[in-house]
Amino acid sequence: MAVDAVDSTSRTHDPVVTTPYGAVRGRYEDGIAVFRGIPYAAPPFGARRFRPPVPPEPWDGVRDAGEFGPTPPKPPYSEAFARLLADPVVPGDDCLNLNVWTPEPGPGARLPVMVWIHGGALTRGSSAVPVYDGQAFARDGVVLVSINYRLGVEGYGLFPDAPPNAGLRDQLAALEWVRESIARFGGDPDRVTVFGESAGAISIGALLASPRAQGLFRRAVLQSGPPEASERDKVRRMVRRMATRLKVPATARAFAAVDRALLLRTQADVARLGSPVLGGPAFGIVVDGDLVPRHPMEALLAGGAPDVELLLGWTSEEYRLWLAPGGLLERVDRLGPVALAGAMARCRCGHEVPRGYRAIHPGAGTVDLVGQMVTDHLLRVPLHRLADARPPRTPAYVYEFAWPSHVPGLGACHALELGFVFDTVEVPQAAQLAGPGAPQELADAMHSAWVRFAVEGDPGWQAWDASHPVRIFGAGAPHTVLGPRDRELALWNAESGRPGAPLSSPESTPSTRPRRPRRVMAVRPSSRPPRPPRAGGGRSLP
Protein backbone atom coordinates (compact mmCIF):
# COMPACT_ATOMS: atom_id res chain seq x y z
CA MET A 1 0.00 0.00 0.00
CA ALA A 2 1.28 3.47 -0.83
CA VAL A 3 2.09 5.68 2.13
CA ASP A 4 1.33 9.35 2.60
CA ALA A 5 4.00 11.97 2.01
CA VAL A 6 6.55 11.82 4.82
CA ASP A 7 8.16 15.25 4.48
CA SER A 8 7.70 17.51 1.49
CA THR A 9 8.61 20.90 2.93
CA SER A 10 11.57 20.72 5.34
CA ARG A 11 14.97 21.25 3.72
CA THR A 12 16.59 19.28 6.56
CA HIS A 13 15.16 15.95 5.40
CA ASP A 14 14.95 14.26 2.01
CA PRO A 15 11.69 15.24 0.26
CA VAL A 16 9.08 12.49 -0.03
CA VAL A 17 6.07 12.72 -2.36
CA THR A 18 3.30 10.19 -2.91
CA THR A 19 2.53 9.28 -6.53
CA PRO A 20 -0.50 7.22 -7.61
CA TYR A 21 1.73 4.12 -7.52
CA GLY A 22 3.67 4.71 -4.31
CA ALA A 23 5.83 7.18 -2.41
CA VAL A 24 9.22 8.36 -3.71
CA ARG A 25 12.12 9.89 -1.82
CA GLY A 26 14.20 12.50 -3.64
CA ARG A 27 17.09 14.75 -2.61
CA TYR A 28 17.53 18.44 -1.91
CA GLU A 29 20.26 19.87 -4.13
CA ASP A 30 21.02 23.58 -3.65
CA GLY A 31 17.54 24.07 -2.22
CA ILE A 32 15.78 22.28 -5.11
CA ALA A 33 13.93 19.00 -4.59
CA VAL A 34 15.08 16.48 -7.20
CA PHE A 35 13.42 13.12 -7.89
CA ARG A 36 15.06 10.83 -10.43
CA GLY A 37 14.03 7.56 -12.01
CA ILE A 38 10.32 7.61 -11.12
CA PRO A 39 8.54 4.91 -13.17
CA TYR A 40 5.59 6.14 -15.20
CA ALA A 41 5.04 2.78 -16.93
CA ALA A 42 6.01 -0.84 -16.41
CA PRO A 43 9.28 -2.22 -17.86
CA PRO A 44 8.63 -2.78 -21.61
CA PHE A 45 10.18 -6.24 -21.79
CA GLY A 46 9.08 -9.84 -21.54
CA ALA A 47 5.42 -10.09 -22.52
CA ARG A 48 5.30 -6.28 -22.87
CA ARG A 49 8.07 -6.12 -25.49
CA PHE A 50 7.01 -4.03 -28.52
CA ARG A 51 3.62 -3.43 -26.90
CA PRO A 52 2.01 -0.13 -25.79
CA PRO A 53 3.01 1.02 -22.29
CA VAL A 54 1.01 -0.05 -19.25
CA PRO A 55 1.00 1.50 -15.74
CA PRO A 56 3.73 0.43 -13.33
CA GLU A 57 3.05 -2.01 -10.53
CA PRO A 58 2.34 -0.14 -7.26
CA TRP A 59 4.97 -0.49 -4.56
CA ASP A 60 4.86 -0.48 -0.77
CA GLY A 61 6.92 1.80 1.42
CA VAL A 62 9.05 4.61 0.02
CA ARG A 63 10.98 4.09 -3.20
CA ASP A 64 14.35 5.81 -3.47
CA ALA A 65 14.49 8.36 -6.29
CA GLY A 66 17.99 9.69 -5.78
CA GLU A 67 19.60 8.39 -8.98
CA PHE A 68 18.69 8.37 -12.66
CA GLY A 69 16.74 5.29 -13.67
CA PRO A 70 17.73 2.84 -16.42
CA THR A 71 18.04 4.25 -19.92
CA PRO A 72 16.28 2.56 -22.86
CA PRO A 73 18.37 0.20 -25.02
CA LYS A 74 20.39 2.14 -27.61
CA PRO A 75 23.59 1.76 -29.60
CA PRO A 76 26.51 4.03 -28.73
CA TYR A 77 27.45 6.99 -30.88
CA SER A 78 30.33 6.57 -33.26
CA GLU A 79 33.68 7.73 -31.93
CA ALA A 80 33.48 11.00 -33.88
CA PHE A 81 30.06 11.89 -32.46
CA ALA A 82 30.82 10.61 -28.95
CA ARG A 83 33.48 13.32 -28.67
CA LEU A 84 30.72 15.90 -29.11
CA LEU A 85 27.57 14.39 -27.62
CA ALA A 86 27.23 12.83 -24.17
CA ASP A 87 24.93 9.81 -23.97
CA PRO A 88 25.21 7.99 -20.62
CA VAL A 89 23.93 4.44 -20.21
CA VAL A 90 22.22 3.28 -17.02
CA PRO A 91 21.59 -0.51 -17.12
CA GLY A 92 18.26 -2.08 -16.18
CA ASP A 93 14.83 -2.92 -17.56
CA ASP A 94 12.73 -0.29 -15.76
CA CYS A 95 13.58 2.32 -18.42
CA LEU A 96 10.20 4.05 -18.74
CA ASN A 97 10.95 6.57 -16.04
CA LEU A 98 11.10 10.31 -15.52
CA ASN A 99 12.74 12.95 -13.33
CA VAL A 100 11.32 15.98 -11.51
CA TRP A 101 13.07 19.16 -10.33
CA THR A 102 10.81 21.33 -8.16
CA PRO A 103 11.35 24.33 -5.87
CA GLU A 104 8.18 23.57 -3.88
CA PRO A 105 7.39 19.86 -3.49
CA GLY A 106 3.90 19.15 -2.27
CA PRO A 107 0.42 20.27 -3.32
CA GLY A 108 -0.58 23.90 -3.27
CA ALA A 109 2.28 25.61 -5.12
CA ARG A 110 0.62 25.30 -8.57
CA LEU A 111 3.80 26.27 -10.44
CA PRO A 112 4.16 26.15 -14.24
CA VAL A 113 5.50 22.84 -15.56
CA MET A 114 7.90 22.13 -18.42
CA VAL A 115 8.28 18.60 -19.80
CA TRP A 116 11.49 17.90 -21.74
CA ILE A 117 11.50 15.32 -24.58
CA HIS A 118 15.08 14.66 -25.64
CA GLY A 119 16.38 14.24 -29.18
CA GLY A 120 18.75 11.72 -30.72
CA ALA A 121 17.16 10.67 -34.05
CA LEU A 122 14.74 8.43 -32.10
CA THR A 123 17.64 6.02 -31.60
CA ARG A 124 19.84 7.63 -28.93
CA GLY A 125 19.72 10.02 -26.00
CA SER A 126 18.05 9.94 -22.59
CA SER A 127 16.95 12.16 -19.73
CA ALA A 128 20.25 11.42 -17.92
CA VAL A 129 22.35 13.63 -20.23
CA PRO A 130 23.99 16.18 -17.86
CA VAL A 131 23.18 19.09 -20.18
CA TYR A 132 19.48 18.47 -19.44
CA ASP A 133 19.80 19.13 -15.71
CA GLY A 134 16.63 20.91 -14.56
CA GLN A 135 18.14 22.84 -11.66
CA ALA A 136 18.04 26.25 -13.39
CA PHE A 137 14.39 25.90 -14.41
CA ALA A 138 13.38 24.98 -10.85
CA ARG A 139 15.52 27.84 -9.51
CA ASP A 140 13.42 30.16 -11.67
CA GLY A 141 10.07 28.88 -10.45
CA VAL A 142 9.29 26.11 -12.96
CA VAL A 143 8.74 22.41 -12.22
CA LEU A 144 10.92 20.61 -14.76
CA VAL A 145 10.14 17.05 -15.85
CA SER A 146 12.38 15.04 -18.20
CA ILE A 147 11.42 11.65 -19.57
CA ASN A 148 12.82 8.49 -21.14
CA TYR A 149 11.05 6.65 -23.93
CA ARG A 150 11.76 3.60 -26.10
CA LEU A 151 14.16 4.16 -28.99
CA GLY A 152 15.13 2.60 -32.31
CA VAL A 153 13.54 -0.68 -33.28
CA GLU A 154 12.14 -1.11 -29.74
CA GLY A 155 10.22 2.15 -30.01
CA TYR A 156 9.71 2.73 -33.73
CA GLY A 157 9.97 -0.61 -35.49
CA LEU A 158 7.04 -1.39 -37.78
CA PHE A 159 5.82 -4.97 -37.44
CA PRO A 160 2.73 -6.86 -38.61
CA ASP A 161 2.13 -8.25 -35.10
CA ALA A 162 2.60 -5.14 -32.90
CA PRO A 163 1.16 -1.60 -32.77
CA PRO A 164 3.46 1.09 -34.24
CA ASN A 165 4.91 4.15 -32.53
CA ALA A 166 5.61 2.51 -29.15
CA GLY A 167 8.07 5.27 -28.23
CA LEU A 168 5.52 7.98 -28.97
CA ARG A 169 2.97 6.06 -26.89
CA ASP A 170 5.50 6.12 -24.05
CA GLN A 171 5.67 9.91 -24.31
CA LEU A 172 1.87 10.10 -24.17
CA ALA A 173 1.88 7.88 -21.06
CA ALA A 174 4.47 10.17 -19.43
CA LEU A 175 2.31 13.23 -20.15
CA GLU A 176 -0.70 11.42 -18.67
CA TRP A 177 1.41 10.74 -15.55
CA VAL A 178 2.19 14.46 -15.39
CA ARG A 179 -1.49 15.32 -15.66
CA GLU A 180 -2.33 12.93 -12.83
CA SER A 181 0.65 13.41 -10.53
CA ILE A 182 2.49 16.69 -10.98
CA ALA A 183 0.34 18.69 -8.54
CA ARG A 184 1.81 16.55 -5.74
CA PHE A 185 5.24 17.88 -6.74
CA GLY A 186 4.12 21.52 -6.74
CA GLY A 187 3.16 21.76 -10.41
CA ASP A 188 0.01 22.99 -12.11
CA PRO A 189 -1.34 20.35 -14.54
CA ASP A 190 -3.21 23.11 -16.38
CA ARG A 191 0.02 25.01 -17.16
CA VAL A 192 2.18 22.40 -18.88
CA THR A 193 4.66 23.31 -21.63
CA VAL A 194 6.26 20.51 -23.61
CA PHE A 195 9.62 21.26 -25.21
CA GLY A 196 11.99 19.16 -27.22
CA GLU A 197 14.82 19.30 -29.73
CA SER A 198 15.34 17.40 -32.98
CA ALA A 199 13.53 14.05 -32.59
CA GLY A 200 11.97 15.46 -29.42
CA ALA A 201 10.51 18.35 -31.41
CA ILE A 202 9.31 15.99 -34.15
CA SER A 203 7.60 13.95 -31.42
CA ILE A 204 5.92 17.07 -30.07
CA GLY A 205 4.65 17.83 -33.58
CA ALA A 206 2.97 14.43 -33.64
CA LEU A 207 1.53 14.93 -30.15
CA LEU A 208 0.21 18.37 -31.12
CA ALA A 209 -1.72 16.74 -33.96
CA SER A 210 -2.91 13.73 -31.94
CA PRO A 211 -6.48 13.82 -30.61
CA ARG A 212 -5.36 11.58 -27.73
CA ALA A 213 -2.91 14.22 -26.46
CA GLN A 214 -5.42 17.08 -26.41
CA GLY A 215 -5.57 18.84 -23.06
CA LEU A 216 -2.27 17.41 -21.79
CA PHE A 217 -0.26 20.57 -22.48
CA ARG A 218 -0.94 24.25 -23.05
CA ARG A 219 2.23 25.37 -24.80
CA ALA A 220 4.88 23.72 -26.95
CA VAL A 221 8.45 24.48 -28.00
CA LEU A 222 9.82 22.84 -31.15
CA GLN A 223 13.61 23.23 -31.41
CA SER A 224 15.14 22.12 -34.72
CA GLY A 225 12.44 19.62 -35.57
CA PRO A 226 9.24 19.99 -37.67
CA PRO A 227 6.01 18.01 -37.46
CA GLU A 228 6.56 15.07 -39.78
CA ALA A 229 5.84 11.41 -40.38
CA SER A 230 8.05 8.82 -42.04
CA GLU A 231 6.94 6.71 -44.96
CA ARG A 232 5.79 3.33 -43.68
CA ASP A 233 7.74 1.52 -46.39
CA LYS A 234 10.93 3.31 -45.32
CA VAL A 235 10.55 2.10 -41.73
CA ARG A 236 9.61 -1.40 -42.92
CA ARG A 237 12.81 -1.51 -44.95
CA MET A 238 14.81 -0.81 -41.80
CA VAL A 239 13.13 -3.73 -40.06
CA ARG A 240 13.55 -6.03 -43.06
CA ARG A 241 17.22 -5.20 -43.42
CA MET A 242 17.71 -6.03 -39.76
CA ALA A 243 15.73 -9.25 -40.16
CA THR A 244 17.87 -10.28 -43.13
CA ARG A 245 21.08 -9.79 -41.15
CA LEU A 246 19.64 -11.57 -38.12
CA LYS A 247 18.18 -14.38 -40.25
CA VAL A 248 14.79 -14.12 -38.53
CA PRO A 249 11.28 -13.15 -39.70
CA ALA A 250 10.49 -9.42 -39.69
CA THR A 251 8.04 -9.77 -36.79
CA ALA A 252 7.97 -8.41 -33.26
CA ARG A 253 7.80 -11.95 -31.89
CA ALA A 254 10.99 -12.96 -33.72
CA PHE A 255 12.84 -9.76 -32.78
CA ALA A 256 11.87 -10.19 -29.12
CA ALA A 257 13.71 -13.51 -29.09
CA VAL A 258 16.98 -11.95 -30.33
CA ASP A 259 19.71 -11.13 -27.84
CA ARG A 260 19.34 -7.44 -26.95
CA ALA A 261 23.00 -6.54 -27.56
CA LEU A 262 22.94 -8.25 -30.97
CA LEU A 263 19.76 -6.40 -31.87
CA LEU A 264 21.41 -3.06 -31.07
CA ARG A 265 24.55 -3.89 -33.06
CA THR A 266 22.45 -4.90 -36.05
CA GLN A 267 20.37 -1.74 -35.82
CA ALA A 268 23.53 0.38 -35.74
CA ASP A 269 24.99 -1.45 -38.75
CA VAL A 270 21.84 -0.97 -40.83
CA ALA A 271 21.52 2.73 -39.93
CA ARG A 272 25.17 3.76 -40.11
CA LEU A 273 25.01 5.18 -43.66
CA GLY A 274 22.07 7.48 -42.99
CA SER A 275 22.01 11.07 -41.70
CA PRO A 276 19.41 13.86 -41.55
CA VAL A 277 21.29 15.81 -44.23
CA LEU A 278 22.31 12.99 -46.55
CA GLY A 279 19.22 10.84 -46.08
CA GLY A 280 19.24 7.06 -45.92
CA PRO A 281 17.48 4.48 -43.75
CA ALA A 282 16.03 5.66 -40.46
CA PHE A 283 13.33 4.92 -37.91
CA GLY A 284 10.52 7.44 -37.57
CA ILE A 285 6.99 8.16 -36.44
CA VAL A 286 4.37 6.78 -38.85
CA VAL A 287 0.72 7.52 -39.46
CA ASP A 288 -1.06 4.71 -37.60
CA GLY A 289 -4.74 5.68 -37.72
CA ASP A 290 -4.82 5.82 -33.92
CA LEU A 291 -2.34 7.94 -32.00
CA VAL A 292 -1.23 9.54 -35.28
CA PRO A 293 -4.39 9.45 -37.41
CA ARG A 294 -3.00 11.63 -40.22
CA HIS A 295 0.24 13.34 -41.19
CA PRO A 296 1.01 15.76 -38.32
CA MET A 297 1.84 18.73 -40.55
CA GLU A 298 -1.28 18.18 -42.62
CA ALA A 299 -3.37 18.10 -39.44
CA LEU A 300 -1.79 21.25 -38.02
CA LEU A 301 -2.06 23.22 -41.26
CA ALA A 302 -5.74 22.26 -41.27
CA GLY A 303 -6.24 23.88 -37.86
CA GLY A 304 -5.10 21.24 -35.36
CA ALA A 305 -4.18 22.21 -31.77
CA PRO A 306 -5.66 25.70 -32.20
CA ASP A 307 -5.30 26.63 -28.51
CA VAL A 308 -1.65 25.62 -28.03
CA GLU A 309 0.86 28.49 -28.10
CA LEU A 310 4.08 27.71 -29.98
CA LEU A 311 7.74 28.66 -29.82
CA LEU A 312 9.64 27.45 -32.89
CA GLY A 313 13.18 27.73 -34.12
CA TRP A 314 16.45 26.40 -35.44
CA THR A 315 20.19 27.00 -35.43
CA SER A 316 21.91 28.91 -38.22
CA GLU A 317 24.07 25.97 -39.35
CA GLU A 318 22.18 22.86 -38.31
CA TYR A 319 23.92 20.68 -40.90
CA ARG A 320 27.42 21.13 -39.52
CA LEU A 321 26.81 18.66 -36.67
CA TRP A 322 26.37 15.86 -39.22
CA LEU A 323 29.04 16.96 -41.67
CA ALA A 324 31.89 18.21 -39.46
CA PRO A 325 32.64 14.89 -37.68
CA GLY A 326 34.53 12.59 -40.00
CA GLY A 327 35.65 15.32 -42.42
CA LEU A 328 32.48 15.46 -44.53
CA LEU A 329 32.64 19.26 -44.78
CA GLU A 330 35.76 19.07 -46.90
CA ARG A 331 34.51 16.10 -48.93
CA VAL A 332 31.25 17.82 -49.85
CA ASP A 333 33.15 20.95 -50.90
CA ARG A 334 35.44 18.86 -53.11
CA LEU A 335 32.48 17.17 -54.79
CA GLY A 336 31.12 20.54 -55.95
CA PRO A 337 28.44 20.04 -58.64
CA VAL A 338 28.00 16.37 -57.67
CA ALA A 339 27.11 17.42 -54.12
CA LEU A 340 24.63 20.01 -55.43
CA ALA A 341 23.02 17.35 -57.62
CA GLY A 342 22.72 15.13 -54.55
CA ALA A 343 21.07 17.95 -52.61
CA MET A 344 18.60 18.46 -55.45
CA ALA A 345 17.73 14.76 -55.32
CA ARG A 346 17.41 14.87 -51.52
CA CYS A 347 15.07 17.86 -51.77
CA ARG A 348 13.37 16.73 -54.99
CA CYS A 349 13.80 20.16 -56.53
CA GLY A 350 14.83 21.60 -59.87
CA HIS A 351 17.87 23.66 -60.85
CA GLU A 352 16.15 26.94 -59.97
CA VAL A 353 16.58 26.33 -56.24
CA PRO A 354 20.40 25.93 -56.13
CA ARG A 355 20.73 28.79 -58.63
CA GLY A 356 18.66 30.95 -56.30
CA TYR A 357 20.78 29.99 -53.29
CA ARG A 358 23.93 30.85 -55.20
CA ALA A 359 22.48 34.28 -56.03
CA ILE A 360 21.44 34.92 -52.41
CA HIS A 361 24.76 33.67 -50.98
CA PRO A 362 27.35 34.44 -53.68
CA GLY A 363 30.34 33.90 -51.41
CA ALA A 364 29.23 30.58 -49.93
CA GLY A 365 31.04 27.34 -50.61
CA THR A 366 29.36 24.19 -51.85
CA VAL A 367 29.01 22.66 -48.40
CA ASP A 368 27.18 25.71 -47.06
CA LEU A 369 24.86 25.88 -50.07
CA VAL A 370 24.06 22.18 -49.80
CA GLY A 371 23.65 22.34 -46.03
CA GLN A 372 21.39 25.37 -46.07
CA MET A 373 19.29 24.03 -48.94
CA VAL A 374 18.60 20.75 -47.18
CA THR A 375 18.07 22.43 -43.80
CA ASP A 376 15.58 24.87 -45.28
CA HIS A 377 13.71 22.15 -47.14
CA LEU A 378 13.48 19.74 -44.21
CA LEU A 379 13.19 22.16 -41.31
CA ARG A 380 12.81 25.90 -41.83
CA VAL A 381 10.18 25.86 -44.57
CA PRO A 382 7.88 23.53 -42.58
CA LEU A 383 8.31 25.60 -39.40
CA HIS A 384 7.64 28.83 -41.33
CA ARG A 385 4.42 27.37 -42.65
CA LEU A 386 3.43 26.02 -39.27
CA ALA A 387 3.85 29.51 -37.81
CA ASP A 388 1.86 30.96 -40.72
CA ALA A 389 -1.01 28.54 -40.05
CA ARG A 390 -1.55 29.45 -36.40
CA PRO A 391 -4.91 31.10 -35.68
CA PRO A 392 -4.77 34.80 -34.74
CA ARG A 393 -5.80 34.13 -31.14
CA THR A 394 -2.91 31.72 -30.55
CA PRO A 395 0.45 33.37 -31.23
CA ALA A 396 3.60 31.67 -32.43
CA TYR A 397 7.13 32.94 -31.77
CA VAL A 398 10.18 32.12 -33.89
CA TYR A 399 13.89 32.23 -33.02
CA GLU A 400 17.25 31.43 -34.58
CA PHE A 401 20.35 30.41 -32.59
CA ALA A 402 23.37 31.94 -34.34
CA TRP A 403 26.26 31.78 -31.86
CA PRO A 404 29.12 29.73 -33.42
CA SER A 405 30.74 26.99 -31.38
CA HIS A 406 34.35 27.39 -30.34
CA VAL A 407 34.95 23.85 -31.62
CA PRO A 408 36.47 24.25 -35.12
CA GLY A 409 34.08 23.49 -37.98
CA LEU A 410 30.86 23.23 -35.96
CA GLY A 411 29.60 26.79 -36.33
CA ALA A 412 26.06 27.32 -35.00
CA CYS A 413 25.27 23.63 -35.38
CA HIS A 414 22.39 21.36 -34.46
CA ALA A 415 21.90 20.88 -30.67
CA LEU A 416 24.36 23.64 -29.74
CA GLU A 417 21.61 25.74 -28.16
CA LEU A 418 20.70 23.13 -25.54
CA GLY A 419 23.26 24.16 -22.93
CA PHE A 420 22.00 27.74 -23.28
CA VAL A 421 18.33 26.79 -22.96
CA PHE A 422 19.01 24.73 -19.81
CA ASP A 423 21.58 27.25 -18.50
CA THR A 424 24.13 24.45 -18.23
CA VAL A 425 26.92 25.88 -20.41
CA GLU A 426 29.41 25.29 -17.58
CA VAL A 427 28.69 21.54 -17.51
CA PRO A 428 31.66 19.68 -19.08
CA GLN A 429 29.38 17.79 -21.44
CA ALA A 430 28.04 21.09 -22.83
CA ALA A 431 31.61 22.19 -23.53
CA GLN A 432 32.11 19.10 -25.71
CA LEU A 433 29.89 20.81 -28.29
CA ALA A 434 30.35 24.49 -27.47
CA GLY A 435 34.03 24.52 -26.64
CA PRO A 436 35.48 26.56 -23.77
CA GLY A 437 34.21 29.99 -22.83
CA ALA A 438 30.56 29.84 -23.90
CA PRO A 439 28.99 33.21 -23.03
CA GLN A 440 26.94 33.03 -19.83
CA GLU A 441 25.02 36.17 -20.78
CA LEU A 442 23.64 34.38 -23.84
CA ALA A 443 22.56 31.47 -21.65
CA ASP A 444 20.89 33.93 -19.29
CA ALA A 445 18.95 35.50 -22.17
CA MET A 446 17.88 32.27 -23.83
CA HIS A 447 16.99 30.41 -20.65
CA SER A 448 14.94 33.33 -19.35
CA ALA A 449 13.02 33.50 -22.66
CA TRP A 450 12.04 29.83 -22.33
CA VAL A 451 10.98 30.37 -18.70
CA ARG A 452 8.96 33.44 -19.65
CA PHE A 453 7.22 31.50 -22.42
CA ALA A 454 6.26 28.73 -19.97
CA VAL A 455 5.03 31.24 -17.39
CA GLU A 456 3.34 33.86 -19.57
CA GLY A 457 3.07 32.41 -23.08
CA ASP A 458 5.27 35.23 -24.41
CA PRO A 459 9.08 34.79 -24.60
CA GLY A 460 9.68 38.53 -24.88
CA TRP A 461 9.64 39.45 -28.55
CA GLN A 462 7.20 40.14 -31.35
CA ALA A 463 4.79 37.34 -32.23
CA TRP A 464 4.92 35.90 -35.74
CA ASP A 465 2.97 37.88 -38.31
CA ALA A 466 3.22 38.82 -41.98
CA SER A 467 6.56 40.55 -41.35
CA HIS A 468 8.14 37.24 -40.18
CA PRO A 469 9.95 38.43 -37.02
CA VAL A 470 12.72 36.09 -35.86
CA ARG A 471 14.61 36.52 -32.59
CA ILE A 472 18.35 36.06 -33.15
CA PHE A 473 20.38 34.61 -30.27
CA GLY A 474 23.98 35.11 -31.32
CA ALA A 475 26.96 37.29 -30.55
CA GLY A 476 25.98 40.34 -28.53
CA ALA A 477 22.48 41.15 -27.32
CA PRO A 478 19.52 39.18 -28.71
CA HIS A 479 17.71 41.16 -31.38
CA THR A 480 14.80 40.69 -33.75
CA VAL A 481 15.17 40.49 -37.54
CA LEU A 482 12.28 40.69 -39.98
CA GLY A 483 12.23 37.98 -42.64
CA PRO A 484 15.83 36.70 -42.42
CA ARG A 485 14.96 33.61 -44.49
CA ASP A 486 12.27 35.06 -46.73
CA ARG A 487 14.30 35.02 -49.96
CA GLU A 488 15.06 31.33 -49.53
CA LEU A 489 11.46 30.63 -48.57
CA ALA A 490 10.30 32.30 -51.79
CA LEU A 491 12.42 29.81 -53.78
CA TRP A 492 10.65 26.87 -52.16
CA ASN A 493 7.23 28.46 -52.59
CA ALA A 494 7.97 28.89 -56.28
CA GLU A 495 9.31 25.33 -56.49
CA SER A 496 6.20 23.84 -54.87
CA GLY A 497 4.07 25.58 -57.50
CA ARG A 498 6.17 24.38 -60.45
CA PRO A 499 4.14 22.12 -62.80
CA GLY A 500 5.15 18.52 -62.26
CA ALA A 501 7.24 19.28 -59.16
CA PRO A 502 7.05 16.38 -56.69
CA LEU A 503 5.81 17.30 -53.24
CA SER A 504 7.56 15.31 -50.55
CA SER A 505 4.95 15.84 -47.83
CA PRO A 506 1.88 17.89 -46.95
CA GLU A 507 4.05 20.67 -45.57
CA SER A 508 4.80 21.64 -49.17
CA THR A 509 1.37 23.28 -49.42
CA PRO A 510 1.58 27.03 -48.76
CA SER A 511 -0.57 28.38 -45.95
CA THR A 512 -3.55 30.65 -46.49
CA ARG A 513 -3.45 32.04 -42.98
CA PRO A 514 -5.05 35.49 -42.73
CA ARG A 515 -2.72 38.34 -41.87
CA ARG A 516 -2.74 39.65 -38.32
CA PRO A 517 -2.13 43.23 -37.32
CA ARG A 518 1.47 43.77 -36.35
CA ARG A 519 2.20 44.38 -32.68
CA VAL A 520 4.53 47.02 -31.36
CA MET A 521 7.63 45.44 -29.84
CA ALA A 522 9.71 46.75 -27.01
CA VAL A 523 13.41 46.15 -27.64
CA ARG A 524 16.13 46.50 -25.03
CA PRO A 525 18.52 49.35 -25.76
CA SER A 526 21.99 48.32 -26.77
CA SER A 527 25.30 50.10 -26.84
CA ARG A 528 26.35 48.03 -29.82
CA PRO A 529 26.23 49.60 -33.32
CA PRO A 530 23.36 48.51 -35.57
CA ARG A 531 23.91 45.24 -37.41
CA PRO A 532 23.90 45.20 -41.21
CA PRO A 533 21.11 43.29 -42.96
CA ARG A 534 21.64 39.52 -43.00
CA ALA A 535 22.53 37.76 -46.22
CA GLY A 536 19.02 36.32 -46.42
CA GLY A 537 17.54 39.75 -46.90
CA GLY A 538 16.14 40.26 -43.38
CA ARG A 539 15.78 43.65 -41.78
CA SER A 540 17.21 44.03 -38.28
CA LEU A 541 14.95 45.90 -35.89
CA PRO A 542 16.65 48.57 -33.77
Side-chain angles (χ1 to χ4, degrees), residues 156-538:
Y156 297 93
L158 194 54
F159 301 100
D161 55 339
N165 297 323
L168 190 67
R169 295 172 193 274
D170 295 342
Q171 296 171 16
L172 179 68
L175 288 170
E176 290 171 341
W177 184 96
V178 169
R179 162 64 65 177
E180 185 176 8
S181 308
I182 204 62
R184 306 170 193 224
F185 292 83
D188 185 348
D190 294 323
R191 287 200 291 165
V192 174
T193 298
V194 291
F195 70 128
E197 185 265 348
S198 193
I202 291 169
S203 299
I204 291 170
L207 292 168
L208 275 167
S210 174
R212 292 181 55 186
Q214 287 185 3
L216 293 178
F217 50 89
R218 181 174 174 181
R219 300 181 178 111
V221 184
L222 281 70
Q223 300 175 214
S224 301
E228 66 178 29
S230 295
E231 298 175 8
R232 294 176 70 92
D233 285 346
K234 181 178 180 179
V235 180
R236 282 197 189 98
R237 285 197 297 272
M238 282 287 290
V239 173
R240 288 169 182 161
R241 290 177 184 181
M242 290 183 64
T244 298
R245 291 184 179 227
L246 293 166
K247 297 181 172 58
V248 300
T251 64
R253 180 177 181 181
F255 273 50
V258 175
D259 174 78
R260 201 179 299 176
L262 175 60
L263 198 64
L264 289 176
R265 289 197 302 272
T266 305
Q267 175 184 301
D269 287 343
V270 168
R272 65 188 174 87
L273 297 179
S275 86
V277 173
L278 303 177
F283 288 107
I285 296 166
V286 298
V287 175
D288 58 18
D290 174 24
L291 181 58
V292 188
R294 63 192 293 196
H295 192 289
M297 181 61 85
E298 181 183 75
L300 292 171
L301 292 185
D307 298 321
V308 179
E309 296 155 338
L310 299 182
L311 174 58
L312 316 167
W314 48 76
T315 71
S316 295
E317 299 169 294
E318 299 271 1
Y319 56 94
R320 285 183 171 267
L321 179 63
W322 296 290
L323 298 183
L328 283 177
L329 290 171
E330 295 79 7
R331 289 167 61 187
V332 171
D333 256 341
R334 285 198 304 269
L335 286 172
V338 175
L340 279 176
M344 289 168 56
R346 177 82 169 104
C347 300
R348 299 190 231 180
C349 67
H351 291 279
E352 294 82 0
V353 172
R355 286 176 187 150
Y357 274 77
R358 180 70 73 187
I360 295 170
H361 307 282
T366 299
V367 69
D368 291 315
L369 290 178
V370 166
Q372 295 293 1
M373 271 181 58
V374 175
T375 300
D376 286 348
H377 173 69
L378 296 177
L379 175 62
R380 294 191 186 108
V381 169
L383 289 181
H384 263 257
R385 291 173 180 170
L386 176 59
D388 279 343
R390 301 310 292 163
R393 71 177 185 276
T394 311
Y397 300 86
V398 178
Y399 74 90
E400 177 170 318
F401 183 81
W403 181 80
S405 170
H406 290 159
V407 176
L410 287 182
C413 69
H414 189 72
L416 181 59
E417 87 282 10
L418 295 176
F420 296 84
V421 168
F422 279 86
D423 192 8
T424 54
V425 290
E426 294 184 356
V427 172
Q429 291 80 3
Q432 290 177 224
L433 201 59
Q440 180 60 50
E441 61 273 17
L442 182 58
D444 293 341
M446 202 165 193
H447 173 75
S448 64
W450 264 238
V451 170
R452 179 171 167 171
F453 180 71
V455 174
E456 303 176 12
D458 179 347
W461 64 86
Q462 180 181 351
W464 188 260
D465 61 16
S467 67
H468 294 175
V470 177
R471 192 68 161 176
I472 306 296
F473 292 93
H479 59 287
T480 300
V481 174
L482 300 180
R485 305 282 175 177
D486 279 5
R487 294 172 68 188
E488 293 90 340
L489 180 63
L491 295 172
W492 294 107
N493 283 338
E495 178 68 16
S496 66
R498 179 170 59 89
L503 301 181
S504 58
S505 64
E507 65 262 32
S508 298
T509 303
S511 167
T512 57
R513 169 183 171 273
R515 292 174 179 255
R516 288 184 290 175
R518 179 176 167 187
R519 300 193 318 168
V520 176
M521 180 187 62
V523 181
R524 290 187 300 177
S526 172
S527 59
R528 298 171 63 253
R531 290 175 174 246
R534 293 176 60 86

